[in-house]
Amino acid sequence: MPSTEIQLQVGKDDTSRKPTVALALGAGGAKGLAHIGAIEELEKQGFEIVAIAGCSMGALIGGIHAAGKLPIYRDWVCSLDKFDILKLVDWSFSFAGGGLIKGEKIIGTMLELIGDVQIEDLPIAFTAVATDIEREREVWLTRGSLFDAVRASIAIPTLFRPQLIDGRVLVDGGLLNPVPVTPLIREPADYVIAVSIDGPAEANLPVEMSAHETRGRSGLSRLLEKLLPGSDAKALAPGKAHELGALELLGQSMDLMQANLSRLRLAAYQPDLLVQLPRNVSSVYAFHRARNLVESGREKMRTSLEAWQPRSR
């Protein structure tokens, strides 16, 4: 089968450049790790990403890619097991400050691993979408510290403490725009592609647990399993009866809200291609399943591009 790049060449004048893409990356917690594989497959198929808008985990992955450090992050996150993840969570064990998790360890680790940069200096145009909880409006962060913007976009209410930027109290952008296509309308790209982790739930999703993923199930790892139940995708299949933990209930509630809001927003602002992963591909906390999630995103992007009939550039 000819490559997607060749299929998109519509004239002799176009053969010298790659088709350009403005990419919207949606919210989804750990499920957003699928964005890594989606980005890598999109570039492998011959597209050039010239702009990214991300929400929550989509902001984290998109910002790291815009900084040119996605391979570093991918290798790191795929090496984590449940014990490693637990060590990154700085619980406050109270709602002081507006959240159970301070988020300082996570962002500190990102700064050590990736380094910080001003958004306006990134080689790829980048927008992190957050929510101004006091003014009840969507906020597009296009300047300033990359990881300050990412920290605001991932601040799930009650779970992560809000981020204060320029006097605004900012929380997760998924509250108002889970798949942020709108910031990309202004971008001069050939196509707008959106990756959503809010697709319809699927029954009997395969769960492939490697030896690496299943190690470390004693001690603090077992504590993590109690704190974050339901990390196995089988437990999330439609119609599967099981006991919900507090964090799993919060995660599924956010999933339901964001899935319905995504449908409304995407109906109003349709991308040229919508790549959807099922919302039950994993739980929002299953970061230990990074390898499988990356591959899920890669495969879904590949099959979506194969079925796509793009308009001529």
Side-chain angles (χ1 to χ4, degrees):
M1 176 180 292
S3 70
T4 304
E5 179 184 4
I6 296 175
Q7 292 174 0
L8 290 173
Q9 292 173 355
V10 295
K12 294 182 179 180
D13 293 339
D14 287 339
T15 59
S16 61
R17 74 171 182 89
K18 297 178 179 179
T20 58
V21 167
L23 183 64
L25 300 176
K31 296 180 289 184
L33 293 171
H35 292 317
I36 298 173
I39 288 171
E40 291 179 341
E41 184 64 25
L42 187 61
E43 292 191 327
K44 179 181 178 182
Q45 293 290 339
F47 292 88
E48 179 184 359
I49 299 170
V50 296
I52 298 173
C55 171
S56 197
M57 195 63 182
L60 175 65
I61 301 299
I64 291 173
H65 179 66
K69 302 293 182 67
L70 191 59
I72 295 173
Y73 177 79
R74 178 200 62 222
D75 293 345
W76 172 79
V77 76
C78 287
S79 72
L80 299 179
D81 58 25
K82 290 186 177 182
F83 183 82
D84 297 320
I85 296 164
L86 182 61
K87 290 190 293 184
L88 291 172
V89 180
D90 45 0
W91 299 97
S92 66
F93 295 102
S94 76
F95 283 101
L100 286 171
I101 298 175
K102 300 174 186 177
E104 295 171 1
K105 281 188 179 181
I106 296 171
I107 295 301
T109 300
M110 292 298 97
L111 291 173
E112 292 178 6
L113 188 69
I114 306 299
D116 203 8
V117 66
Q118 297 296 295
I119 295 175
E120 57 268 31
D121 294 333
L122 293 172
I124 296 175
F126 175 71
T127 302
V129 176
T131 299
D132 185 330
I133 196 67
E134 293 181 336
R135 295 177 175 86
E136 301 179 356
R137 64 182 62 176
E138 182 180 335
V139 176
W140 297 353
L141 300 168
T142 59
R143 300 185 65 82
S145 163
L146 172 62
F147 280 106
D148 279 355
V150 167
R151 174 64 181 82
S153 189
I154 67 172
I156 300 172
T158 73
L159 189 59
F160 282 95
R161 290 180 177 177
Q163 178 79 348
L164 188 66
I165 297 180
D166 296 332
R168 297 175 296 186
V169 180
L170 303 181
V171 297
D172 195 326
L175 293 180
L176 294 179
N177 197 353
V179 187
V181 171
T182 43
L184 300 173
I185 294 174
R186 61 190 176 182
E187 298 294 342
D190 295 322
Y191 306 106
V192 175
I193 295 178
V195 183
S196 169
I197 322 292
D198 293 321
E202 295 180 3
N204 302 318
L205 284 177
V207 178
E208 299 176 2
M209 298 287 284
S210 68
H212 169 81
E213 290 176 314
T214 56
R215 77 171 186 262
R217 289 184 176 272
S218 61
L220 289 177
S221 288
R222 291 183 180 177
L223 172 61
L224 180 63
E225 289 178 346
K226 293 179 181 179
L227 289 170
L228 309 180
S231 61
D232 192 317
K234 284 182 178 178
L236 299 173
K240 177 72 174 182
H242 64 289
E243 183 178 353
L244 292 176
L247 292 181
E248 187 184 0
L249 179 60
L250 174 62
Q252 290 197 22
S253 299
M254 290 288 290
D255 280 351
L256 178 61
M257 178 195 72
Q258 291 178 356
N260 283 278
L261 183 54
S262 292
R263 284 195 291 271
L264 293 173
R265 295 296 294 258
L266 290 170
Y269 300 97
Q270 296 183 6
D272 295 294
L273 174 64
L274 174 60
V275 179
Q276 279 190 313
L277 282 89
R279 62 178 178 269
N280 63 326
V281 67
S282 83
S283 80
V284 296
Y285 309 111
F287 286 91
H288 63 286
R289 297 192 63 241
R291 293 180 186 276
N292 288 341
L293 290 166
V294 170
E295 290 308 310
S296 294
R298 192 187 315 279
E299 177 61 24
K300 182 61 70 171
M301 177 61 76
R302 182 184 303 118
T303 57
S304 297
L305 288 173
E306 288 174 353
W308 186 33
Q309 295 182 341
R311 55 177 171 75
S312 297
R313 290 186 282 145

mmCIF file of all heavy atoms in Angstrom, residues 65-85:
data_model
loop_
_atom_site.group_PDB
_atom_site.id
_atom_site.type_symbol
_atom_site.label_atom_id
_atom_site.label_comp_id
_atom_site.label_asym_id
_atom_site.label_seq_id
_atom_site.Cartn_x
_atom_site.Cartn_y
_atom_site.Cartn_z
ATOM 1 N N HIS A 65 6.223 17.342 23.098
ATOM 2 C CA HIS A 65 6.563 17.148 21.687
ATOM 3 C C HIS A 65 6.976 18.466 21.038
ATOM 4 O O HIS A 65 7.942 18.507 20.259
ATOM 5 C CB HIS A 65 5.387 16.555 20.922
ATOM 6 C CG HIS A 65 5.681 16.366 19.464
ATOM 7 N ND1 HIS A 65 6.619 15.469 18.997
ATOM 8 C CD2 HIS A 65 5.185 16.987 18.352
ATOM 9 C CE1 HIS A 65 6.684 15.527 17.675
ATOM 10 N NE2 HIS A 65 5.829 16.453 17.265
ATOM 11 N N ALA A 66 6.262 19.544 21.366
ATOM 12 C CA ALA A 66 6.607 20.849 20.801
ATOM 13 C C ALA A 66 8.015 21.267 21.215
ATOM 14 O O ALA A 66 8.699 21.988 20.479
ATOM 15 C CB ALA A 66 5.591 21.898 21.240
ATOM 16 N N ALA A 67 8.465 20.800 22.379
ATOM 17 C CA ALA A 67 9.814 21.098 22.855
ATOM 18 C C ALA A 67 10.862 20.160 22.268
ATOM 19 O O ALA A 67 12.058 20.307 22.540
ATOM 20 C CB ALA A 67 9.854 21.029 24.376
ATOM 21 N N GLY A 68 10.421 19.172 21.476
ATOM 22 C CA GLY A 68 11.354 18.245 20.839
ATOM 23 C C GLY A 68 11.866 17.154 21.758
ATOM 24 O O GLY A 68 12.882 16.518 21.457
ATOM 25 N N LYS A 69 11.161 16.877 22.859
ATOM 26 C CA LYS A 69 11.662 15.913 23.847
ATOM 27 C C LYS A 69 10.747 14.703 24.023
ATOM 28 O O LYS A 69 10.857 14.008 25.037
ATOM 29 C CB LYS A 69 11.808 16.626 25.202
ATOM 30 C CG LYS A 69 12.736 17.837 25.184
ATOM 31 C CD LYS A 69 14.178 17.437 24.930
ATOM 32 C CE LYS A 69 15.105 18.655 24.962
ATOM 33 N NZ LYS A 69 15.207 19.251 26.296
ATOM 34 N N LEU A 70 9.871 14.423 23.070
ATOM 35 C CA LEU A 70 8.924 13.323 23.255
ATOM 36 C C LEU A 70 9.612 11.964 23.411
ATOM 37 O O LEU A 70 9.184 11.168 24.255
ATOM 38 C CB LEU A 70 7.927 13.286 22.091
ATOM 39 C CG LEU A 70 6.728 12.361 22.288
ATOM 40 C CD1 LEU A 70 5.921 12.759 23.517
ATOM 41 C CD2 LEU A 70 5.821 12.369 21.052
ATOM 42 N N PRO A 71 10.670 11.643 22.641
ATOM 43 C CA PRO A 71 11.319 10.336 22.846
ATOM 44 C C PRO A 71 11.857 10.160 24.264
ATOM 45 O O PRO A 71 11.803 9.056 24.819
ATOM 46 C CB PRO A 71 12.450 10.345 21.811
ATOM 47 C CG PRO A 71 11.977 11.275 20.738
ATOM 48 C CD PRO A 71 11.242 12.357 21.477
ATOM 49 N N ILE A 72 12.382 11.230 24.849
ATOM 50 C CA ILE A 72 12.900 11.148 26.216
ATOM 51 C C ILE A 72 11.765 10.824 27.185
ATOM 52 O O ILE A 72 11.890 9.943 28.056
ATOM 53 C CB ILE A 72 13.571 12.480 26.615
ATOM 54 C CG1 ILE A 72 14.816 12.732 25.759
ATOM 55 C CG2 ILE A 72 13.935 12.482 28.097
ATOM 56 C CD1 ILE A 72 15.436 14.099 25.974
ATOM 57 N N TYR A 73 10.643 11.518 27.041
ATOM 58 C CA TYR A 73 9.511 11.275 27.923
ATOM 59 C C TYR A 73 8.937 9.881 27.704
ATOM 60 O O TYR A 73 8.613 9.181 28.677
ATOM 61 C CB TYR A 73 8.421 12.323 27.686
ATOM 62 C CG TYR A 73 7.191 12.089 28.529
ATOM 63 C CD1 TYR A 73 7.154 12.465 29.865
ATOM 64 C CD2 TYR A 73 6.067 11.458 27.993
ATOM 65 C CE1 TYR A 73 6.030 12.231 30.653
ATOM 66 C CE2 TYR A 73 4.948 11.222 28.772
ATOM 67 C CZ TYR A 73 4.937 11.609 30.098
ATOM 68 O OH TYR A 73 3.832 11.364 30.868
ATOM 69 N N ARG A 74 8.820 9.461 26.437
ATOM 70 C CA ARG A 74 8.264 8.130 26.154
ATOM 71 C C ARG A 74 9.095 7.044 26.822
ATOM 72 O O ARG A 74 8.558 6.141 27.475
ATOM 73 C CB ARG A 74 8.233 7.901 24.638
ATOM 74 C CG ARG A 74 7.704 6.520 24.235
ATOM 75 C CD ARG A 74 8.144 6.192 22.821
ATOM 76 N NE ARG A 74 9.595 6.132 22.737
ATOM 77 C CZ ARG A 74 10.317 6.636 21.731
ATOM 78 N NH1 ARG A 74 9.742 7.251 20.730
ATOM 79 N NH2 ARG A 74 11.636 6.520 21.740
ATOM 80 N N ASP A 75 10.405 7.101 26.674
ATOM 81 C CA ASP A 75 11.259 6.070 27.272
ATOM 82 C C ASP A 75 11.141 6.075 28.793
ATOM 83 O O ASP A 75 11.125 5.010 29.424
ATOM 84 C CB ASP A 75 12.716 6.294 26.855
ATOM 85 C CG ASP A 75 12.942 6.055 25.369
ATOM 86 O OD1 ASP A 75 12.062 5.459 24.722
ATOM 87 O OD2 ASP A 75 14.002 6.476 24.862
ATOM 88 N N TRP A 76 11.028 7.259 29.365
ATOM 89 C CA TRP A 76 10.920 7.359 30.823
ATOM 90 C C TRP A 76 9.597 6.801 31.321
ATOM 91 O O TRP A 76 9.565 5.965 32.222
ATOM 92 C CB TRP A 76 11.074 8.823 31.253
ATOM 93 C CG TRP A 76 10.800 9.049 32.703
ATOM 94 C CD1 TRP A 76 11.649 8.790 33.752
ATOM 95 C CD2 TRP A 76 9.587 9.563 33.281
ATOM 96 N NE1 TRP A 76 11.030 9.120 34.944
ATOM 97 C CE2 TRP A 76 9.776 9.598 34.684
ATOM 98 C CE3 TRP A 76 8.388 10.019 32.748
ATOM 99 C CZ2 TRP A 76 8.786 10.056 35.556
ATOM 100 C CZ3 TRP A 76 7.399 10.467 33.607
ATOM 101 C CH2 TRP A 76 7.609 10.483 35.002
ATOM 102 N N VAL A 77 8.482 7.232 30.737
ATOM 103 C CA VAL A 77 7.179 6.822 31.247
ATOM 104 C C VAL A 77 6.944 5.336 31.015
ATOM 105 O O VAL A 77 6.272 4.680 31.819
ATOM 106 C CB VAL A 77 6.051 7.682 30.621
ATOM 107 C CG1 VAL A 77 5.735 7.269 29.187
ATOM 108 C CG2 VAL A 77 4.794 7.631 31.478
ATOM 109 N N CYS A 78 7.525 4.785 29.947
ATOM 110 C CA CYS A 78 7.355 3.355 29.682
ATOM 111 C C CYS A 78 8.193 2.494 30.626
ATOM 112 O O CYS A 78 8.014 1.276 30.665
ATOM 113 C CB CYS A 78 7.710 3.037 28.228
ATOM 114 S SG CYS A 78 6.482 3.604 27.027
ATOM 115 N N SER A 79 9.084 3.113 31.366
ATOM 116 C CA SER A 79 9.905 2.365 32.315
ATOM 117 C C SER A 79 9.286 2.310 33.703
ATOM 118 O O SER A 79 9.789 1.605 34.585
ATOM 119 C CB SER A 79 11.298 3.002 32.418
ATOM 120 O OG SER A 79 11.249 4.243 33.113
ATOM 121 N N LEU A 80 8.196 3.028 33.917
ATOM 122 C CA LEU A 80 7.613 3.134 35.259
ATOM 123 C C LEU A 80 6.751 1.919 35.601
ATOM 124 O O LEU A 80 6.028 1.396 34.760
ATOM 125 C CB LEU A 80 6.740 4.386 35.360
ATOM 126 C CG LEU A 80 7.416 5.740 35.134
ATOM 127 C CD1 LEU A 80 6.383 6.853 35.248
ATOM 128 C CD2 LEU A 80 8.555 5.961 36.108
ATOM 129 N N ASP A 81 6.837 1.484 36.847
ATOM 130 C CA ASP A 81 5.869 0.524 37.360
ATOM 131 C C ASP A 81 5.024 1.223 38.436
ATOM 132 O O ASP A 81 5.189 2.426 38.677
ATOM 133 C CB ASP A 81 6.540 -0.749 37.902
ATOM 134 C CG ASP A 81 7.539 -0.465 39.017
ATOM 135 O OD1 ASP A 81 7.412 0.580 39.702
ATOM 136 O OD2 ASP A 81 8.455 -1.286 39.224
ATOM 137 N N LYS A 82 4.142 0.497 39.077
ATOM 138 C CA LYS A 82 3.232 1.132 40.031
ATOM 139 C C LYS A 82 3.973 1.746 41.212
ATOM 140 O O LYS A 82 3.567 2.793 41.738
ATOM 141 C CB LYS A 82 2.194 0.117 40.523
ATOM 142 C CG LYS A 82 1.193 -0.278 39.454
ATOM 143 C CD LYS A 82 0.113 -1.165 40.046
ATOM 144 C CE LYS A 82 -0.938 -1.506 39.001
ATOM 145 N NZ LYS A 82 -2.029 -2.318 39.565
ATOM 146 N N PHE A 83 5.051 1.131 41.622
ATOM 147 C CA PHE A 83 5.825 1.666 42.737
ATOM 148 C C PHE A 83 6.432 3.014 42.357
ATOM 149 O O PHE A 83 6.419 3.967 43.145
ATOM 150 C CB PHE A 83 6.930 0.677 43.110
ATOM 151 C CG PHE A 83 7.744 1.099 44.306
ATOM 152 C CD1 PHE A 83 7.297 0.870 45.596
ATOM 153 C CD2 PHE A 83 8.958 1.737 44.129
ATOM 154 C CE1 PHE A 83 8.047 1.272 46.692
ATOM 155 C CE2 PHE A 83 9.715 2.141 45.218
ATOM 156 C CZ PHE A 83 9.261 1.906 46.504
ATOM 157 N N ASP A 84 6.974 3.111 41.136
ATOM 158 C CA ASP A 84 7.547 4.376 40.667
ATOM 159 C C ASP A 84 6.495 5.478 40.619
ATOM 160 O O ASP A 84 6.759 6.627 40.968
ATOM 161 C CB ASP A 84 8.153 4.202 39.268
ATOM 162 C CG ASP A 84 9.303 3.212 39.247
ATOM 163 O OD1 ASP A 84 10.110 3.221 40.195
ATOM 164 O OD2 ASP A 84 9.389 2.430 38.278
ATOM 165 N N ILE A 85 5.303 5.114 40.171
ATOM 166 C CA ILE A 85 4.226 6.103 40.055
ATOM 167 C C ILE A 85 3.826 6.617 41.428
ATOM 168 O O ILE A 85 3.613 7.818 41.623
ATOM 169 C CB ILE A 85 3.019 5.479 39.327
ATOM 170 C CG1 ILE A 85 3.409 5.118 37.887
ATOM 171 C CG2 ILE A 85 1.830 6.436 39.329
ATOM 172 C CD1 ILE A 85 2.456 4.167 37.214
#
